[in-house]
Amino acid sequence: MAILITGGAGFIGSNFVYEWVNHSNEQIINLDKLTYAGNLENLKALKNQGQHIFVQGDIANQELVGQLLEKYQPRAIINFAAASHVDRSIKGPEDFVMTNVVGTFKLLEAARHYYSNLTDQNKAQFRFLHVSTDEVYGSLLPTENGFTEKNPYQPNSPYSASKASSDHFVRAYYHTYGLPVLTTNCSNNYGPFQFPEKLLPLIIHNALNEKPLPVYGDGTQVRDWLYVTDHCQAIMTVLENGQLGEVYNVGGFNEQKNIEVVKSICSHLDKKRPRAQGKSYSELITFVTDRPGHDKRYAIDATKINKNLDWAPKETFQTGLEKTVNWYLDNQAWTQSVTSGEYRKWVDTNYAARG
Ligand code: NAD
Ligand code: TYD
């Protein structure tokens, strides 16, 4: 038995590989293009290397995906691969269309062909699980309830528009071709191996290097933070027990304003790695020009996955943040290795004009 995952050298995908190897003996085939966001470093510490097979390649390469499906005969595909950063989607939306829309479409096509040739018994087992985001639902007003699976899609960034499009294709392949799909829409994740372009690792990285901590706009935007391992466990739960064709929203029951998140990181670092002369890292906080079209608030109502599949996050924000800060402190060589030439170019592109 085997599963095929895509994007398993990225942040959530690599955490998923560790969770999988810890919980199962089943082989895991990992197809990843190794963009700037994918790093084989992330998978170095895997204990059972033989259980994990890495293949470098693009999800849009239907022929390659078809060959992998024929060779390994997986019982499931989990699609993590995506261009994932909102600010990059604003600077250059095309990669987002190519991977998130066209790539997912090609992956679905390869899966449809493979599925159509399976025996009835293997068909009954097969699943295509698409990993998506709460950003497809758009932005909430402060008084609105969290997103349920019934909220209308109102994407506001090229990133969320491309993910919304991929979600629609996944849904259509269930209704039109009977491909046994499942979709998860999750809130913001944080934890080990997150590329330091995203808020938490960026703030930790800058703080440790005595650089300004950039907060967009007034910092009152709200995100619902979930520790990455809790997300991985939700995906495993949906894979094993989710109802075919259904969508499951996954969230942390943990809304925080960006400025609060940044201050919490600073106070953890103040305790764990005090600055010189008793200064606080919070003195490095700098308010910078806002992101265009910045969504004000995301929040997930995770009642469905909680009630129907008995999933709940294990980490609180307090415990998850402590683990995360400690991980980045203990793994500064990892951050060094991923913040090379390309990363510096991105930092110049994104932050120089924000003032
Ligand atoms: P990431 O950017 O850290 O990793 C993406 C991975 O996909 C990288 O390893 C990259 O090399 C690979 N990849 C990119 N394009 C590819 C292609 N064309 N073919 C094959 N591989 C390719 O992203 P992440 O944060 O781990 O997100 C994983 C998934 O979870 C994405 O689909 C994202 O939309 C979704 N998601 C992320 C969050 C979050 O907070 N990070 C929250 C909800 C949902
Ligand atoms: P991010 O980690 O990019 O995730 P997303 O945009 O998918 O929610 O950003 C999280 C929040 O933090 C978002 O409201 C934008 C904000 N942010 C900053 O204030 N400063 C930064 O340097 C970055 C990268 C993000």
Side-chain angles (χ1 to χ4, degrees), residues 84-87 133-135 159 188-189 194-203 206 213-217 219-223 225 258-259 262 286 288 290-291 294-296 298 346 350-351 354:
S84 70
H85 187 35
V86 173
D87 294 311
T133 165
D134 60 356
E135 306 196 20
Y159 164 64
N188 285 64
N189 285 212
Q194 188 167 31
F195 194 75
E197 64 187 355
K198 305 279 167 61
L199 182 67
L200 270 86
L202 181 110
I203 295 298
N206 282 16
L213 309 182
V215 174
Y216 295 170
T220 59
Q221 300 80 12
V222 172
R223 299 291 183 263
W225 294 94
N258 290 341
I259 186 68
V262 173
T286 309
V288 299
D290 209 349
R291 173 189 279 173
H294 198 170
D295 284 334
K296 186 77 187 166
Y298 304 139
W346 166 250
N350 193 43
Y351 294 97
R354 287 184 192 270

Side-chain angles (χ1 to χ4, degrees), residues 153-175:
Y153 271 36
Q154 294 182 326
N156 293 320
S157 72
Y159 164 64
S160 53
S162 65
K163 290 296 291 186
S165 171
S166 66
D167 294 7
H168 290 323
F169 272 102
V170 170
R171 177 190 158 91
Y173 271 59
Y174 174 72
H175 287 279

